[in-house]
């Protein structure tokens, strides 16, 4: 059998022994049972059977470099020895595996290690609340916490944030007839989404990404205007005695397209919320545990939040979610939780992961290697016009795909907040997003033995989330495969360009 240039079997080849291990009807059954909803199984048609570190082996015998890392849950990669050892230790001890949130030695060890890593301003007066296995449980708990503590309703969230932010705000107690905009006193134009099933409109403040700035400005000017926009809304709310219960934001919008918040904007959000006694909730589900080059992403800006939402990597590959908050916000209300908030295996795996990242300074490794990865990706962007932007922080990188021969986004197609911005001398108008090109890059990567994810409002951003244990050599292999995939997609798009230009508007080829 031929060897691939990337190691292992060549693309398209199978290990006969591995192939025989899978029933012949299995693919057909999987296809028949797969829902129509967008799932990873549809985008990544592989069947993992073994994994270690960065590498996954499929049932067909092919090996893949995994830069999705379970959507960021695998800080140490697959089946890291310290995680497996921690899990086996609990299993061999005979300890109960599920005791809700009762105190156990495993739970105590997790809390002690977590407090050791938190920002000092929060760790000194923190309470740790176990709420459920998913980040959505933690967000709902955090929103309910600040509502109970302040006696107010309404939560400020931001455009392109995780859907869980608006959903959790609604589930945490916003009445089905309330309007989140009015409830929070947001009387100025806001970025809104569709109504949810409970009739609660999702209202979000402008977030300041540089490339697709909602005000068409970008850089520091866009961030300053976004901060002013939010501050003005809060001042309007204060004049009506209708301040919101809290503000919920992400230091890097991972699912929103890997958009890092400017440090100055983060500090401004902390300042305006503190001045108005509005608790600041920071969601570190995607960014925590060293991912961005600091143990917690808020450390880049020096911000100390009132509440932190933690999930994904803190469970060491197993489901776990926690809310850490200031002691004075604790009203004694139980908040949202499930019966699975005390999973002993997840707590043990999480403790091992937190300690390993801290002791081996993997956040510093993520910062250094991530910087070199972003430099290489930006070189790639200069070579291929279909890459509109490269952004990220640490080992969280996003490559935005755009239509290389498309016209810049017309101003009349921008969002309400965009159109409400004051006129600028030179508006930044990026080219249209190209989700079809991003999907093509993902497919070509998979053909070359590389697993990447997609993110962004239109799923037009290729997202890299390698484990923090990735080496220089492995990173080079990842970038080589990605560059090859982008080159193929760019070439195919260029070859199809003449036929696209020959079509008349409103006409379709036969």
């Amino acid at each position: 059998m031929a060897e691939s240039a990337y190691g292992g079997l060549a693309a398209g080849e199978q290990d006969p022994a591995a192939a025989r291990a899978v029933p012949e009807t299995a693919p057909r059954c999987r296809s028949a049972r797969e829902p129509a909803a967008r799932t990873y199984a549809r985008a990544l048609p592989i069947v993992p059977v073994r994994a270690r570190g960065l590498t996954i082996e499929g049932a067909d015998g092919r090996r893949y470099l995994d830069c999705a890392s379970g959507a960021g849950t695998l800080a140490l990669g697959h089946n890291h020895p310290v995680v497996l050892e921690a899990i086996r230790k609990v299993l061999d001890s005979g300890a109960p595996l599920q005791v809700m949130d009762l105190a156990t030695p495993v739970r105590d060890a997790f809390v002690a290690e977590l407090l050791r890593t938190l920002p000092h301003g929060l760790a000194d007066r923190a309470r740790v609340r176990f709420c459920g296995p998913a980040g959505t449980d933690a967000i709902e708990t955090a929103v309910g916490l600040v509502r109970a503590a302040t006696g107010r309703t309404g939560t400020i969230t931001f455009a392109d944030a995780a859907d869980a932010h608006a959903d959790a705000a609604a589930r945490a107690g916003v009445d089905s007839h309330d309007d989140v905009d009015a409830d929070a006193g947001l009387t100025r134009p806001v970025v809104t989404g569709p109504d949810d099933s409970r009739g609660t409109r999702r209202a979000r403040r402008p977030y300041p990404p540089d490339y697709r700035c909602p005000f068409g400005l970008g850089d520091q000017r866009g961030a300053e205007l976004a901060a002013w926009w939010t501050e003005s809304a809060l001042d309007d709310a204060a004049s009506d005695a209708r301040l919101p219960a809290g503000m919920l934001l992400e230091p890097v919008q991972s699912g929103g397209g890997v958009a890092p918040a400017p440090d100055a904007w983060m500090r401004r959000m902390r300042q305006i919320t503190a001045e108005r006694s509005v608790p600041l909730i920071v969601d570190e589900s995607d960014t925590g545990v060293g991912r961005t080059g600091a143990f917690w992403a808020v450390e880049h800006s020096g911000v100390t939040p009132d509440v932190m939402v933690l999930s994904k990597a803190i469970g060491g590959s197993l489901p776990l979610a926690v809310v850490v908050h200031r002691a004075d916000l604790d009203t004694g209300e139980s908040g949202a939780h499930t019966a699975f908030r005390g999973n002993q295996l997840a707590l043990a795996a999480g403790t091992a992961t937190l300690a390993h990242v801290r002791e081996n300074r993997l956040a510093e490794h993520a910062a250094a290697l991530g910087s070199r990865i972003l430099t290489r990706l930006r070189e790639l962007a200069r070579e291929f016009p279909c890459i509109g932007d490269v952004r990220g922080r640490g080992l969280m990188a996003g490559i935005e795909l755009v239509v290389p021969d498309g016209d810049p986004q017309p101003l009349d197609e921008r969002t309400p907040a965009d159109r409400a911005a004051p006129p600028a001398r030179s508006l930044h108008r990026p080219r249209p997003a190209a989700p079809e090109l991003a999907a093509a890059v993902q497919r070509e990567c998979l053909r070359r033995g590389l697993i990447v994810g997609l993110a962004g409002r239109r799923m037009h951003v290729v997202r890299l989330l390698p484990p923090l244990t990735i080496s220089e050599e492995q990173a080079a292999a990842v970038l080589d495969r990605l560059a090859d995939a982008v080159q193929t997609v760019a070439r195919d798009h260029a070859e199809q360009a003449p036929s696209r230009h020959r079509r008349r508007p409103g006409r379709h080829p036969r």
Side-chain angles (χ1 to χ4, degrees), residues 202-279:
R202 300 178 178 182
R204 299 179 177 181
R205 305 308 304 164
Y207 187 84
D210 190 26
Y211 183 65
R212 293 192 183 274
C213 173
F215 303 105
L217 298 174
D219 60 49
Q220 183 179 351
R221 297 177 301 161
E224 289 174 351
L225 185 54
W228 170 85
W229 203 262
T230 300
E231 184 175 12
S232 297
L234 282 170
D235 287 340
D236 287 346
S239 66
D240 294 334
R242 294 170 67 84
L243 281 168
M247 175 187 288
L248 172 61
L249 59 80
E250 300 167 276
V252 180
Q253 288 188 337
S254 180
V258 193
D263 290 341
W265 181 83
M266 287 285 295
R267 288 189 287 269
R268 188 68 181 135
M269 293 302 100
R270 174 67 283 186
Q271 179 185 358
I272 65 177
T273 52
E275 290 173 350
R276 294 159 180 80
S277 298
V278 174

Side-chain angles (χ1 to χ4, degrees), residues 108-186:
D108 291 345
F110 175 84
V111 171
E113 184 58 43
L114 177 62
L115 292 175
R116 190 176 288 122
T117 69
L118 291 176
H120 294 301
L122 181 59
D124 298 340
R125 49 180 179 158
R127 296 290 184 271
V128 180
R129 183 174 299 208
F130 296 87
C131 46
T136 50
D137 299 315
I139 293 171
E140 185 175 347
T141 296
V143 172
L145 171 77
V146 297
R147 285 169 57 86
T150 63
R152 302 193 292 260
T153 57
T155 306
I156 293 180
T157 59
F158 291 88
D160 290 332
D163 286 338
H165 286 195
D167 292 342
R171 286 196 303 270
V174 175
D175 185 78
S176 61
H177 299 292
D178 285 349
D179 182 337
V180 177
D181 296 3
D183 195 45
L186 306 183

Side-chain angles (χ1 to χ4, degrees), residues 2 56 169 186 326 378-379 387 421 472:
I56 285 180
L186 306 183
R326 286 190 350 239
R378 287 177 180 129
E379 293 172 355
I387 299 179
E472 293 273 3

